[in-house]
Amino acid sequence: MPPDSVPDIPMSADRIDNQGGIPSPWGQRFPRAVRLAPGHLLVPAKTLRALLERSGRLTLAYTGFCMAPTLVNNGDFSVRTGLPRPGQLALVDVDGWGDVRRVLAIMPDGHLRTALDSYPRGLEVLQPRQVLGVVCRSRRRLDAALARAFPAWSRWTALMYWFRKILEAPDFGVSGGCSIEEKYQWQVESYETILRAPLSGPLLRLLARELPRGADLLVPGCGVGREALHLAREGYQVAAFDLIPGMIEAARKHASAAGLGADFFVSDMAALELGTRRFDGVFVTPLVYSFVQGRERRVAALRRLGHHLKPGGKVIFSAHLIRTFEQWLRVTLAWARHRAR
């Protein structure tokens, strides 16, 4: 946007990413989760460890596509106790939650070099104590070959994942609003499964630096209330809204169950009207701003948020930027697919 078209809102930005490492399971780049089967209950890594130590074997369900075709979305798999060898899949503790990683090498000090099958550029070294168990789906010779040949074969799985994202991309044209609503209507249940996932340390530090605890905070794009409820627990006075009624219904249910007084309501960010109500700050949940279709609506959304700020208030938001040729090509192909329809 040209400078003269942007409303006068104090902005704060911080680079919160993990380039070179493995993306968080709770981000939108490679969303994934490990849940108990058959009920698909999401539980912390400590619970998974305790259950494995008690029984020696667990049946789990994998959500996500980044380990396909070895692990399929919503498919069951078994895990046993033990330490993995190179090439095997391991169930590991990452930030207090279970994740499945491909073990590429065991280092002399016992640390494990790990990767995701669909992300050949990301590697992460884990400590032995982070290993919860070994996925019971392996062959010794094949495992060794997979470890040695990484990331050559991983580029093919990354390509499959890339094309899947093109096929599922929402339409940001004339019917963009309807497309986004449709996308998130069917994701209400999946968002509830990550409700207890913690907010990242860098994000909490950014908020604490810009907005002291106790501040009145408006949270657009709140979904089922994950960020809003965590912020309420941190001591913020939270009001939150979302475009999807189903998300708000779920958020109110979770707030009531947690005994938190966050205020949830349905609204469009570009048409927000709360009368004389003003806030110390606005925290737009991750990447929501990127889903506001059209320059006119984005400017309108920023103006409405700015209108509800107290003097000196701040808006904190993130946006997905197209930086590389690969990202540009994916967006172009997704656009072409929608145009063809």
Side-chain angles (χ1 to χ4, degrees):
M1 302 176 193
D4 59 353
S5 69
V6 181
D8 185 18
I9 302 176
M11 301 290 179
S12 177
D14 202 5
R15 187 176 177 84
I16 303 175
D17 58 15
N18 189 29
Q19 288 192 344
I22 293 179
S24 164
W26 312 114
Q28 294 204 24
R29 190 173 186 185
F30 289 97
R32 57 198 187 274
V34 174
R35 299 176 290 174
L36 290 175
H40 288 202
L41 179 67
L42 183 70
V43 298
K46 287 183 179 179
T47 302
L48 293 175
R49 186 186 296 277
L51 292 173
L52 265 171
E53 289 175 351
R54 180 182 302 175
S55 63
R57 192 181 184 100
L58 275 182
T59 300
L60 303 172
Y62 189 77
T63 304
F65 296 87
C66 63
M67 301 304 287
T70 307
L71 297 182
V72 299
N73 184 45
N74 289 326
D76 292 354
F77 65 101
S78 296
V79 176
R80 59 174 175 80
T81 55
L83 291 175
R85 60 177 180 268
Q88 284 186 305
L89 297 183
L91 177 65
V92 297
D93 178 346
V94 177
D95 297 327
W97 297 89
D99 195 15
V100 175
R101 300 284 182 83
R102 178 79 62 181
V103 178
L104 301 180
I106 309 295
M107 303 169 72
D109 58 3
H111 286 57
L112 293 80
R113 185 178 291 113
T114 66
L116 296 179
D117 285 1
S118 297
Y119 190 49
R121 292 177 295 174
L123 298 174
E124 188 171 343
V125 174
L126 301 179
Q127 300 179 30
R129 61 180 176 81
Q130 291 179 260
V131 176
L132 303 177
V134 182
V135 175
C136 305
R137 190 176 295 184
S138 63
R139 297 178 181 176
R140 184 176 293 274
R141 290 183 179 178
L142 178 60
D143 292 341
L146 288 174
R148 286 195 299 268
F150 189 92
W153 59 266
S154 178
R155 295 189 175 96
W156 290 103
T157 59
L159 186 63
M160 289 190 292
Y161 189 92
W162 189 76
F163 275 111
R164 188 189 66 82
K165 296 199 78 170
I166 293 172
L167 295 176
E168 294 184 359
D171 181 3
F172 286 100
V174 176
S175 61
C178 296
S179 176
I180 293 165
E181 287 186 48
E182 180 183 349
K183 164 184 166 62
Y184 284 105
Q185 283 285 9
W186 64 261
Q187 284 188 306
V188 172
E189 183 179 353
S190 64
Y191 269 62
E192 287 190 283
T193 64
I194 63 170
L195 186 69
R196 290 179 292 172
L199 299 184
S200 70
L203 175 57
L204 286 175
R205 288 192 293 272
L206 169 64
L207 285 166
R209 185 176 73 235
E210 303 294 343
L211 297 166
R213 286 175 174 81
D216 290 319
L217 192 60
L218 181 64
V219 182
C222 66
V224 299
R226 175 187 167 228
E227 291 88 356
L229 295 179
H230 277 287
L231 292 170
R233 291 190 184 97
E234 291 288 326
Y236 292 97
Q237 305 301 309
V238 176
F241 66 90
D242 199 280
L243 183 64
I244 310 300
M247 293 284 192
I248 293 300
E249 290 175 13
R252 288 171 177 163
K253 178 186 70 177
H254 296 309
S256 176
L260 296 170
D263 176 22
F264 291 97
F265 57 94
V266 177
S267 180
D268 183 342
M269 198 189 311
L272 181 67
E273 181 50 63
L274 299 176
T276 59
R277 195 171 182 183
R278 299 293 183 267
F279 299 87
D280 299 306
V282 176
F283 169 59
V284 185
T285 56
L287 297 183
V288 162
Y289 181 75
S290 293
F291 285 90
V292 180
Q293 72 278 12
R295 174 185 173 188
E296 189 174 317
R297 282 180 57 80
R298 286 194 291 271
V299 172
L302 292 178
R303 284 186 174 140
R304 296 315 303 161
L305 296 178
H307 176 72
H308 289 88
L309 278 177
K310 295 177 182 178
K314 297 180 179 180
V315 173
I316 299 173
F317 68 93
S318 63
H320 182 76
L321 304 179
I322 300 177
R323 292 191 178 96
T324 66
F325 174 77
E326 180 269 333
Q327 292 170 339
W328 177 87
L329 179 60
R330 188 175 67 200
V331 170
T332 302
L333 290 174
W335 174 84
R337 171 178 168 267
H338 286 295
R339 289 287 293 179
R341 291 171 57 188

